[in-house]
């Protein structure tokens, strides 16, 4: 029963109300005794004590009966959409309980008092019942307010947890999406090396590729990593591409050492480098120069646009992947600038505090 089980009390009432019951019964008994038992005949200690004891008895009956009705209705109508119905039924039953308790309790206490030689003629009076109904409804309103507050808080918490689970699932999908994207482009590069160079060059490329994938595995499922780790990964990737392009691919790194501990979305820099190589001419006559620097609070990656005459099929994953991951884990988004001559992407640098709650 909820009366004796703390967990049940919290479940159906929203809080453990034992202390509130004891204090509330004491206070309301005192108030009702003062309001309804001020007749001059009660001028001895015995009569005052009996009068207060009778009020305590009535208050306990009102409180516990309406409390149990409240719990029953919450079990029967647990949903938010049923709140209005439940409250209307509760008020009607409170009126019934007050009337029945006042009549039955009045008869019982009258007989009990006669045992001690005192007379009592109990009458059901509207002027007494109405204040008692109002007081009882007010007590139940406090219960309802606490219950509603806790339900809303629980509902918001569950909604936030569900939202975080969904966001984490999206991040996992995007993270897993980026890895095959990298593999797809790496295999294309390997094919070109096999066509153009010796098998030994292909073996070296595969060895370097395995080192890169080892880095991907070691980075785990982190939503953000240090800039230092991302740079190592990007440099390893450029080393792989140098097997194919040699001096025709140049990367200028301008990264202060004191910025290496700042965080960034994993594989974001590598994806930008990959896109630049994929969509631009890289040749002896037109070497591709990629500039990487930190400007204010962003990692800026830029290159001169050297569009290829033949379009290479694109998965269109890279930039959208980066943008979506930034949106999911922070309030910052990459800035993409294409002025027709240069293509620039600014990746926001993050602190752990920049992450949205739950990441």
């Amino acid at each position: 029963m909820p009366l004796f089980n703390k967990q049940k009390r919290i479940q159906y009432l929203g809080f453990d109300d034992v202390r509130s019951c004891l204090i509330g019964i004491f206070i309301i008994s005192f108030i009702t005794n003062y309001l309804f038992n001020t007749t001059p005949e009660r001028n001895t200690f015995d009569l005052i004590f009996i009068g207060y004891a009778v009020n305590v008895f009535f208050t306990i009956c009102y409180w516990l009966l309406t409390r149990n009705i409240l719990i029953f209705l919450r079990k029967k109508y647990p949903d938010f959409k049923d709140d209005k119905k439940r409250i209307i039924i509760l008020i009607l039953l409170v009126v019934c309980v007050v009337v029945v308790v006042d009549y039955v309790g009045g008869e019982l206490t009258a007989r009990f008092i006669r045992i001690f030689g005192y007379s009592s003629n109990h009458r059901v009076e509207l002027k007494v019942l109405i204040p008692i109904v109002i007081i009882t409804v007010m007590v139940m309103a406090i219960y309802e307010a606490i219950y509603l507050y806790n339900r809303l808080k629980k509902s918001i918490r569950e909604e936030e947890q569900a939202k975080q689970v969904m966001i984490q699932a999206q991040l996992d999908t995007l993270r897993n999406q980026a890895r095959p994207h990298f593999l797809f482009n790496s295999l294309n590069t390997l094919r070109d090396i096999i066509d153009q160079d010796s098998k030994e060059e292909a073996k070296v490329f595969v060895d370097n590729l395995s080192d890169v994938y080892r880095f991907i595995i070691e980075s785990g499922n982190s939503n953000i990593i240090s800039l230092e780790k991302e740079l190592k990964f990007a440099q390893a990737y450029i080393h792989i591409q140098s097997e194919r392009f040699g001096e025709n691919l140049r990367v200028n790194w301008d990264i202060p050492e004191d910025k290496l501990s700042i965080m960034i979305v994993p594989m974001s820099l590598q994806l930008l480098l990959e896109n630049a190589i994929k969509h631009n001419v890289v040749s002896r006559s037109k070497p591709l120069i990629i500039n990487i620097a930190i400007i204010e609070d962003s990692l800026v990656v830029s290159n001169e646009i050297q569009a290829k005459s033949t379009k290479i099929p694109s998965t269109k994953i890279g930039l959208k992947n980066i943008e979506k991951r930034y949106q999911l884990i922070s309030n910052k988004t990459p800035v993409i600038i294409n002025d027709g001559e240069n293509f620039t992407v600014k990746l926001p640098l993050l602190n752990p505090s920049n992450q949205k709650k739950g990441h």
Side-chain angles (χ1 to χ4, degrees):
M1 290 179 63
L3 182 63
F4 304 107
N5 188 313
K6 181 178 179 180
Q7 290 183 341
K8 293 290 185 182
R9 290 196 298 271
I10 295 173
Q11 178 183 353
Y12 294 115
L13 299 173
F15 70 111
D16 185 5
D17 70 329
V18 172
R19 185 179 297 179
S20 301
C21 282
L22 295 174
I23 295 172
I25 288 170
F26 171 79
I27 293 173
I28 291 175
S29 299
F30 180 81
I31 292 171
T32 53
N33 184 64
Y34 176 79
L35 290 175
F36 305 127
N37 297 314
T38 56
T39 55
E41 292 84 2
R42 296 194 176 186
N43 53 10
T44 65
F45 176 80
D46 290 348
L47 289 173
I48 293 172
F49 175 78
I50 290 173
Y52 183 72
V54 168
N55 276 280
V56 169
F57 168 74
F58 274 95
T59 304
I60 290 173
C61 291
Y62 295 139
W63 193 299
L64 294 185
L65 284 172
T66 52
R67 177 182 176 277
N68 285 333
I69 290 171
L70 188 72
I71 292 171
F72 170 77
L73 291 174
R74 286 177 182 174
K75 289 180 181 179
K76 188 173 179 62
Y77 303 108
D79 297 331
F80 278 107
K81 62 182 178 66
D82 296 323
D83 282 356
K84 185 176 180 181
K85 182 194 298 184
R86 190 185 70 251
I87 291 171
I88 292 173
I89 294 173
L90 175 63
I91 293 172
L92 294 175
L93 290 177
V94 164
V95 175
C96 295
V97 165
V98 169
V99 173
V100 171
V101 169
D102 186 77
Y103 177 77
V104 175
E107 293 298 322
L108 291 175
T109 51
R111 293 181 183 182
F112 177 76
I113 290 171
R114 291 191 193 103
I115 296 174
F116 296 93
Y118 299 103
S119 60
S120 176
N121 295 316
H122 179 74
R123 296 188 304 274
V124 177
E125 297 180 7
L126 198 60
K127 66 179 182 179
V128 174
L129 292 181
I130 290 176
I132 293 175
V133 168
I134 293 172
I135 292 171
T136 307
V137 169
M138 287 175 62
V139 171
M140 293 302 107
I142 294 171
Y143 271 97
E144 277 294 327
I146 295 172
Y147 182 59
L148 179 61
Y149 171 76
N150 282 286
R151 286 170 74 203
L152 285 173
K153 189 165 67 172
K154 182 182 177 182
S155 178
I156 292 170
R157 185 169 60 249
E158 288 175 349
E159 185 178 346
E160 285 297 318
Q161 289 172 349
K163 191 183 296 182
Q164 293 302 330
V165 168
M166 185 176 66
I167 289 174
Q168 190 60 50
Q170 289 178 297
L171 279 168
D172 291 341
T173 300
L174 289 167
R175 208 164 27 233
N176 293 331
Q177 187 184 60
R179 292 170 185 174
H181 182 255
F182 169 66
L183 178 60
F184 173 79
N185 287 284
S186 298
L187 291 175
N188 282 337
T189 303
L190 178 59
R191 182 194 60 194
D192 292 340
I193 291 174
I194 292 171
D195 289 341
Q196 298 172 14
D197 299 316
S198 66
K199 291 183 179 180
E200 289 302 318
E201 292 293 330
K203 288 179 181 179
V204 171
F205 180 88
V206 170
D207 289 340
N208 288 327
L209 185 61
S210 68
D211 290 337
V212 170
Y213 264 94
R214 185 180 298 110
F215 177 85
I216 293 174
I217 292 170
E218 289 174 355
S219 67
N221 295 321
S222 301
N223 292 327
I224 58 173
I225 61 170
S226 68
L227 180 59
E228 182 178 15
K229 290 183 179 180
E230 180 68 10
L231 287 174
K232 286 181 179 178
F233 177 41
Q235 287 164 352
Y237 172 74
I238 290 298
H239 182 74
I240 289 174
Q241 296 303 321
S242 295
E243 297 288 339
R244 176 185 176 188
F245 297 106
E247 292 298 320
N248 300 329
L249 175 64
R250 304 172 196 171
V251 179
N252 297 323
W253 307 89
D254 184 14
I255 310 295
E257 287 191 11
D258 61 343
K259 300 292 186 179
L260 295 178
S261 60
I262 299 178
M263 312 302 280
I264 194 170
V265 169
M267 295 185 69
S268 54
L269 175 56
Q270 180 272 326
L271 283 171
L272 294 180
L273 293 171
E274 193 173 304
N275 278 351
I277 294 169
K278 181 178 179 181
H279 296 291
N280 290 278
V281 173
V282 185
S283 66
R284 183 175 298 179
S285 60
K286 281 191 173 182
L288 178 63
I289 301 173
I290 304 173
N291 298 303
I292 302 173
I294 290 182
I295 300 176
E296 296 180 347
D297 294 326
S298 298
L299 180 68
V300 180
V301 182
S302 63
N303 63 272
E304 185 179 345
I305 296 174
Q306 301 173 174
K308 293 181 178 180
S309 57
T310 56
K311 296 289 184 180
I312 297 175
S314 174
T315 58
K316 298 182 179 180
I317 289 175
L319 290 174
K320 289 182 180 179
N321 184 291
I322 296 169
E323 287 181 321
K324 189 63 177 177
R325 282 195 286 160
Y326 264 100
Q327 290 169 5
L328 287 172
I329 68 172
S330 75
N331 294 318
K332 298 183 177 182
T333 55
V335 176
I336 301 170
I337 303 171
N338 184 348
D339 61 8
E341 294 183 0
N342 293 280
F343 189 83
T344 303
V345 178
K346 298 180 180 180
L347 296 176
L349 297 174
L350 305 172
N351 292 312
S353 59
N354 294 139
Q355 291 192 93
K356 290 181 180 178
K357 190 176 179 182
H359 295 292

